[in-house]
Amino acid sequence: MKIQCLLLLACLRVCVLAGKYSREVNEPKPSSDEKAVEFRIARVNQVWEKARRMQLSPVRLAELHSDLKIQEKDELQWKKMKVEGLDNNGEKEAQLRRNFNVILAKYGMDGKRDTRPLENNYLKDHEIKDGDSFDDPKLDKLWNKAQTSGKFSSEELLSLKREFQHHKDKIHEYNILMDTVSRTEEIHKNVISPLEGDTKEHTLPQKHTELKQKMRDLNQGFERLRKISHEGFGEDSDFREPRVIELWDAAKRSNLSEDELDSLKEELRHFETKVEKHSHYKEQLELSHQKLQHVESLGDEDHIRRNQEKYNSLAEKTREMGYKMKKHLQDLNNKISRGLVHNEL
């Protein structure tokens, strides 16, 4: 009997210890009050949380979300590369850091005073108004000539305005990148350790190559706008969206074979559909936000709840679509860049 009691006590002790060290006990249970984390990388998530507290429009917030999602994906891939012993010269790491700084500057989160208007209404940006300005004298002069030339229908003027707006955005992105590179170079000059300086110096040529390529793209883009403004849209235009037109022009300058170009052209058609669908969702998101603000001013709780749910659903779809579109754009750029590099060699 005594032996049986001892065996029973031993079994109970084992069960208690098993319970004490089990996964259920030792892994913290998520608190019902704990806020869900949007991004896995801490600094990316911090930027997102800060942006939510800023006065960003719903469309701009959705754009930031997709940019941060791309950044996080690239950083996680880089961490795997490091584990595999790749990127020893730090070139990929420097590019990721630069991309992150560009995102901060693009959305006014780099601590510098942004002289641009605080917010733009996405719908108003796609209207044609007298006195439209693109913050660049050459662009403004060209746009005014195109508007008064009588060569364009209302629909064609809207398409042309999208191209001008796209070029304006590219100028802004170029200025951000140039500023980021300049600040990075200033930091490099102040590096004390010769070894660290050598490592960082290795990445500078790539940064300048990227700047030169962007400047070439800007010059080619402006030349295209100048030609269209004077001659009108050609009947043989393959695409409507500025980004797609730009990609196709770059592809034709590359070393891709005829078969590769045909395949890429088909892919660009699918991509253009994706871009147009994303633009439609951004317009719907802006409209939904305006309606939600109106309903909130009326104070009907049930009506507010229904509109809030619709708005949240649209915001989620717009973010996801934006990510897929930008990921596809990244893949297309890489594919065409390989052909351009091969052509230059």
Side-chain angles (χ1 to χ4, degrees):
M1 181 71 179
K2 193 173 181 179
I3 293 171
Q4 286 177 331
C5 287
L6 287 170
L7 285 170
L8 182 60
L9 285 170
C11 287
L12 285 170
R13 181 174 174 79
V14 168
C15 290
V16 169
L17 286 172
K20 180 180 178 182
Y21 294 106
S22 66
R23 177 181 294 182
E24 288 77 8
V25 171
N26 285 280
E27 283 191 355
K29 292 182 175 64
S31 165
S32 57
D33 299 327
E34 192 177 331
K35 187 166 63 174
V37 175
E38 189 74 19
F39 295 96
R40 292 162 60 187
I41 296 176
R43 68 172 184 153
V44 175
N45 201 64
Q46 284 167 2
V47 170
W48 174 246
E49 291 302 326
K50 181 181 176 181
R52 292 177 67 185
R53 296 191 295 270
M54 293 170 63
Q55 292 181 330
L56 294 180
S57 71
V59 169
R60 199 149 168 77
L61 199 60
E63 289 290 287
L64 172 63
H65 190 278
S66 54
D67 281 342
L68 289 175
K69 199 169 178 182
I70 292 279
Q71 178 72 19
E72 182 177 62
K73 175 191 69 69
D74 290 344
E75 288 198 23
L76 291 172
Q77 283 182 347
W78 170 77
K79 286 181 179 181
K80 287 181 182 176
M81 287 173 62
K82 288 291 284 183
V83 170
E84 294 167 4
L86 303 173
D87 195 39
N88 291 326
N89 60 10
E91 189 173 314
K92 181 67 176 175
E93 182 183 9
Q95 183 185 15
L96 287 170
R97 192 183 301 114
R98 187 166 67 254
N99 291 348
F100 188 70
N101 289 333
V102 166
I103 290 173
L104 295 180
K106 181 179 175 182
Y107 295 94
M109 301 173 73
D110 59 345
K112 292 185 69 179
R113 185 175 178 272
D114 197 340
T115 56
R116 290 168 301 154
L118 180 63
E119 271 307 331
N120 290 320
N121 184 306
Y122 182 80
L123 297 176
K124 288 181 182 177
D125 284 347
H126 290 74
E127 296 171 1
I128 292 181
K129 306 181 287 292
D130 291 334
D132 270 322
S133 174
F134 297 97
D135 302 329
D136 181 278
K138 289 197 299 183
L139 279 182
D140 290 337
K141 186 178 178 181
L142 203 57
W143 172 247
N144 290 332
K145 278 187 177 180
Q147 267 191 307
T148 56
S149 67
K151 295 175 183 173
F152 303 96
S153 65
S154 298
E155 189 177 339
E156 285 174 333
L157 270 177
L158 277 172
S159 295
L160 185 60
K161 188 185 178 184
R162 282 202 302 270
E163 295 213 31
F164 271 80
Q165 185 64 46
H166 176 63
H167 193 79
K168 175 187 171 180
D169 292 342
K170 282 177 62 184
I171 292 172
H172 181 58
E173 286 170 11
Y174 174 82
N175 289 334
I176 287 173
L177 182 60
M178 188 166 62
D179 184 54
T180 304
V181 170
S182 298
R183 278 186 284 169
T184 306
E185 285 182 333
E186 194 62 36
I187 292 168
H188 290 172
K189 288 176 187 175
N190 297 325
V191 169
I192 297 172
S193 164
L195 184 62
E196 186 182 358
D198 290 342
T199 304
K200 291 183 175 180
E201 192 71 29
H202 181 80
T203 65
L204 287 175
Q206 190 222 355
K207 295 174 185 177
H208 288 293
T209 300
E210 189 176 348
L211 275 172
K212 286 177 184 175
Q213 182 57 51
K214 284 191 177 294
M215 178 52 75
R216 277 199 295 267
D217 291 344
L218 281 174
N219 290 335
Q220 287 160 355
F222 183 79
E223 183 55 32
R224 172 183 160 74
L225 288 176
R226 191 196 62 75
K227 186 177 179 183
I228 293 174
S229 299
H230 284 86
E231 301 175 9
F233 285 104
E235 292 182 7
D236 58 342
S237 297
D238 294 294
F239 302 102
R240 298 175 300 278
E241 284 294 327
R243 272 172 291 193
V244 184
I245 292 166
E246 189 176 81
L247 286 167
W248 180 237
D249 286 345
K252 287 188 289 187
R253 294 194 306 271
S254 73
N255 203 36
L256 297 174
S257 67
E258 284 299 318
D259 286 344
E260 286 172 325
L261 279 174
D262 287 342
S263 174
L264 183 66
K265 193 172 189 179
E266 189 61 33
E267 189 177 354
L268 285 172
R269 287 198 179 101
H270 291 298
F271 177 67
E272 185 170 58
T273 302
K274 202 176 286 186
V275 171
E276 289 171 343
K277 193 174 180 182
H278 182 228
S279 295
H280 171 73
Y281 267 84
K282 286 195 289 187
E283 288 177 8
Q284 292 305 307
L285 180 62
E286 183 69 46
L287 287 169
S288 178
H289 183 247
Q290 290 175 7
K291 186 175 181 182
L292 178 60
Q293 286 180 315
H294 173 68
V295 169
E296 284 174 339
S297 68
L298 300 177
D300 184 337
E301 291 297 327
D302 192 48
H303 205 183
I304 290 171
R305 180 183 54 78
R306 287 199 303 271
N307 278 274
Q308 184 70 57
E309 287 173 358
K310 183 180 178 182
Y311 169 75
N312 290 344
S313 174
L314 263 174
E316 184 63 34
K317 285 179 183 175
T318 306
R319 291 173 196 169
E320 188 58 33
M321 201 168 293
Y323 168 72
K324 288 177 180 176
M325 188 268 291
K326 288 179 181 181
K327 177 67 176 68
H328 197 174
L329 176 62
Q330 191 181 53
D331 294 341
L332 285 165
N333 271 320
N334 290 338
K335 188 181 292 185
I336 293 168
S337 293
R338 284 194 293 270
L340 284 169
V341 169
H342 190 265
N343 198 27
E344 287 174 4
L345 293 174

